[in-house]
Amino acid sequence: MLALRLARGAHPLVQLRRLLVAAASAGTGFLFLCTLGYALGHPESSGDALLRLAWCLVPLAATVYLAVAVARSDPGTRPRAGLSAVGLGPGRLTLLASVSTAVACTLGSSLALLFFLHLRGDLTGLPFDGAGRGLLAADRPLPLAATLTLLSFVPLAASTASALVLRPRILKAGRPDATTDEPQELKEPSPAPGGLPWGVALLAAGLAVETYAAHARSGSGFPMPGGLGGSPSGVLAGWALTAVGLAMAGPGLTYLCGRALQAVRPGAVRLLAGRVLMEESGRIGRPLGVLCAVASGVYAATVLYGGGRPALGPMSALGGLLVVGCALATLATAAVEARQVRRHTQTALLRLGAPATLLRGSAALRAGALLAVFGPLTWAVAELSATPLLSR
């Protein structure tokens, strides 16, 4: 009940982020239900049904990642002074964040079920009644247990991940100086993230595995959605390693961008921009790396499907749209969270007489530095990922 009250009285921007989580959950739940419809309509093709179910795990991971980012930035679950006295300690706040995430994802799963039943023709009175009867096996009864099981994947995974990710952060933030909204003392920049060497190693290994597997003619094919078949399993494993490597290398690259901005006698704008990037490298670096991985994958898929190959199917297009949208929304959420964290610093600078152009110039410089590093990196990874597939 408390989670519902907090959700109802939240800021419109917070409500928008929760609606994005609900929309992502609805799309992922609809993909799971479409997989169930395919299995009902093609009982002899159990292998293809399992393959479609396995491909749904990618949008599921993207939705859970977005849900965790939204839960981290939710001001309603942030520790404040005096909340422990009314029974809202770190453990209860963790539970509150998990319940809020589950409520948003359950809403999305319910909408997915209604839309699925509408396309099957089970619900009437709206446009496009029964438009997908042939694709969704409308002539067969829908098993209740399987439907509820598939729809519970997103709420359970998202709420569990939110609880696991937020609990250490809230416990560390349980000291009196972290539970208040007062400005904190200046401190040294955060230490450099330690995942850059591992990220570069995984990125190189993924590209090597993909290149080797694409030129190996003896491997069995692993069909991709949308009608493209025969892609070696090693290519997909290389894509996975590349994505994980970019996600791990993102914080380290962001930190190095901040160090580079402060090199060679920096002025006030460069010094402020560099310090902010170094401090926020752990918060925005990983979403940037994930976005680079998604963008390189989209580029490779565009080149691959645009070369006279089979057209991308509607379910594959929906899955790709979910992954891209979740990656963009996660990065935007992390940027908003970072802006909230440095709000007191900006207020203090303006109170000391710093011009507003200083803050705007620092923000533009940070964006330019990140684009100058992650843009060419994304293009290079995309080209290296697409070249072996086109040469087959």
Side-chain angles (χ1 to χ4, degrees), residues 5-33:
R5 290 182 178 179
L6 290 176
R8 185 180 60 182
H11 192 272
L13 186 59
V14 178
Q15 298 284 25
L16 177 61
R17 293 199 293 263
R18 290 170 178 167
L19 288 178
L20 288 177
V21 174
S25 176
T28 306
F30 182 75
L31 288 179
F32 277 118
L33 292 178

Side-chain angles (χ1 to χ4, degrees), residues 44-212:
E44 73 283 354
S45 304
S46 58
D48 293 340
L50 289 177
L51 177 62
R52 290 169 177 259
L53 184 62
W55 278 110
C56 291
L57 297 180
V58 179
L60 174 63
T63 302
V64 171
Y65 190 56
L66 173 61
V68 171
V70 171
R72 282 175 56 93
S73 62
D74 194 343
T77 58
R78 188 168 301 164
R80 296 182 183 90
L83 289 181
S84 298
V86 295
L88 291 178
R92 191 66 63 87
L93 287 176
T94 302
L95 179 62
L96 185 61
S98 178
V99 171
S100 300
T101 303
V103 168
C105 293
T106 302
L107 174 62
S109 297
S110 302
L111 293 177
L113 177 60
L114 292 177
F115 188 66
F116 179 77
L117 294 177
H118 170 63
L119 290 181
R120 275 174 52 97
D122 297 334
L123 298 179
T124 59
L126 296 174
F128 306 105
D129 286 336
R133 293 180 61 88
L135 296 176
L136 304 179
D139 56 336
R140 296 178 179 271
L142 196 63
L144 180 60
T147 303
L148 295 180
T149 300
L150 291 176
L151 288 178
S152 64
F153 281 171
V154 179
L156 288 178
S159 58
T160 302
S162 299
L164 293 177
V165 171
L166 294 181
R167 183 173 179 81
R169 180 176 67 94
I170 293 179
L171 285 178
K172 291 179 181 179
R175 299 184 309 271
D177 59 346
T179 56
T180 62
D181 291 333
E182 298 297 328
Q184 300 183 13
E185 296 181 359
L186 294 177
K187 58 181 181 179
E188 293 297 325
S190 301
L196 181 58
W198 289 103
V200 173
L202 286 177
L203 176 61
L207 292 175
V209 168
E210 181 183 350
T211 303
Y212 176 79

Side-chain angles (χ1 to χ4, degrees), residues 332-373:
T333 302
V336 171
E337 182 186 7
R339 184 177 181 181
Q340 293 174 351
V341 170
R342 65 174 184 270
R343 178 185 57 190
H344 295 303
T345 303
Q346 294 177 348
T347 304
L349 288 174
L350 293 176
R351 189 182 297 119
L352 292 174
T357 55
L358 174 66
L359 301 180
R360 290 195 293 266
S362 174
L365 190 58
R366 293 196 304 269
L370 293 176
L371 184 62
V373 172

Side-chain angles (χ1 to χ4, degrees), residues 235-247:
V235 173
L236 304 179
W239 276 354
L241 287 176
T242 301
V244 174
L246 285 173

Side-chain angles (χ1 to χ4, degrees), residues 210 239 295-305 381-383 385-386 389-390:
E210 181 183 350
W239 276 354
S296 61
V298 169
Y299 176 83
T302 302
V303 173
L304 188 61
Y305 280 97
V381 173
E383 286 288 343
S385 299
L389 297 179
L390 294 176

